[in-house]
Amino acid sequence: MKKQDFKLFPGTYLQGKWNGHKYKVIQKLGAGACGTVYLCQTFQGEKVALKVGNDSSRMMLEVNMLKKFSKVQGVKLGPAFVDVDDWKATSLKVFPFYVMEYIEGVPLSNFLRGKGKEWIGICTIQLLTDLEHLHKAGFVFGDLKTDNLLMSNSQVRWIDVGGVTAIGRAIKEYTEFYDRGYWGFGSRKAEPSYDLFAVTMIMLEMVHPNKFEKGAHPRRTLAAKLASSNDLKPYHSLIAGVWKGKFQSASEMKQALSYIVMKRAKGTPVSRKQMKAQKHSSEWGELLALSAVAGVFWGFSIFSFWI
Amino acid sequence: MKAGRLKQILLLTDGCSNHGEDPIAVAALARNQGVTVNVIGVLDDRQNEKPQGLEEVESIAEAGGGVSQIVYQKSLSQTVQMVTRQAMTQTIQGVVNKELQEILGEGKSIEELPPATRSEVVEVVEDLGEACELEVLVLVDTSASMHHKLPTVKEALYDLSLSLNARTGSNQFSIYTFPDVKNTIRRVIKWTPELGEINGVFSKLSSGGYTPTGPALKEALYAFTEKPLFRGIQDGEDPYEETGF
Ligand SMILES: Nc1ncnc2c1ncn2[C@@H]1O[C@H](COP(=O)(O)OP(=O)(O)OP(=O)(O)O)[C@@H](O)[C@H]1O
Ligand SMILES: [Mg+2]
């Protein structure tokens, strides 16, 4: 909201007043509502992402979340936390900043451009895997959106943990397009199902990259957008299920999604339901067949080295 | 520190006041009475220049210890809840800062604490924001130029209740409109925990060309103080009331 009255040019050094660590600015990565993120280099020559801003309270809340979630149950969720400090600008004004792991990657939307539709399922499963860990730790991501996701080594990583909220509290940050309250699909209470709704919106965005507005009948708009996409066909009932509140946790949704994914990978369908699904969902995934053969349904690392 | 009760007036308008006492003075009075004043200036979606008179929006909120924002209709919902939330945090931070000064001495504020301590303080502020009781009196300018914006206003207020009711702490909302020929402001929704169905609330519209923002704010303030407060809460037990917020 407030305007930032500093500019950091490449080559500038920035030193913390409490911890004394020095960072060299390499380039600007992006700017948001409460700060600007720069790619920097530590004294040891390591690349890091540094966010500097005005709102010291909000930045500190982000730091608290980063610390909590850089690693949950041994799994890397957000960027790893590095440092938090204040920087005295030449104007003598003091700006809070924090430093985190630099995640080298491309925005999800760019990544998907020109990629086969099988990536819809894969990215979504990756996302659900991370959410599963976060939910188990008692938190909801909140502001889940493609802007907050980077594809790094063919793996989805989230970069902005500012919206992470303890389960049972009020969602503190959201973006309308991904917010179930906006679409009339439920409350803004931090529940795992809140994130699952956002996941379905990310899936919709994968096939409608320009997004869309809710119009006079939000639910009907969504239904129409879902129906109009061929690439999402395999997931119709899954997505509609999420909207109906059928899934209470990321694990449940992931299970249902992997069932869809596996169905097609197997050569011999075992049930009628599966056969039906196979008919309209054609040849999407030699990849998946391969992984099925390997018997590694969850080992998505296989994709990353294979591609 | 226990969660207390916050009181806010949320003024939605699209023009400058032209009648009666100075709204900035009334806002300052409200602040002194422990009521925060937030102001949102609502622009037409096609309006591409900021119309004159909207500077007042910022001044009123500043005097009222609140938050202001000028927005296009289409981002009204998100703005209304954000402004309300921000004002809550701001008020709570003010209280916490005051307490810090008592402990650490004059001139110490959250920003000046070393990061480790700051980290704990912001958690406390956030916990209070989640758990505190909140009373929001919405004051809607229904003068002629606002008429076609009222459906959006209604939607935004419903959305506000959706956001706030996700909190653990309880909420009370009421809606007043102005100008009203007889009483300056008119109550259209009395205190209620939810703004669910608010159909028809803006049906009786005023048409005169005058905008008595100051007098309307003052009436809103009276409406606040006359309100039978939450039962079961003893005055004086509440840190916000004690510190005069
Ligand atoms: N750890 C990181 N590694 C690599 N790039 C990052 C990292 N953190 C942020 N970025 C880049 O900086 C941009 C802005 O970051 P950030 O998400 O903190 O701000 P924002 O979401 O735009 O705004 P807000 O302050 O409202 O959250 C991102 O879009 C991303 O491109
Ligand atoms: Mg962000």
Side-chain angles (χ1 to χ4, degrees), chain A residues 11-56:
Chain A
T12 315
Y13 282 91
L14 189 144
Q15 187 171 23
K17 81 170 199 189
W18 302 96
N19 300 335
H21 298 303
K22 240 179 176 178
Y23 302 93
K24 181 179 171 188
V25 176
I26 299 173
Q27 72 178 82
K28 183 171 155 177
L29 291 172
C34 91
T36 309
V37 181
Y38 296 93
L39 171 61
C40 292
Q41 207 168 29
T42 63
F43 185 71
Q44 289 82 12
E46 219 185 324
K47 278 184 180 175
V48 289
L50 184 150
K51 183 164 183 171
V52 52
N54 291 312
D55 189 339
S56 111

Side-chain angles (χ1 to χ4, degrees), chain A residues 143 145 148 160 173:
Chain A
D143 199 6
K145 54 176 173 180
N148 285 340
D160 186 357
E173 232 175 77

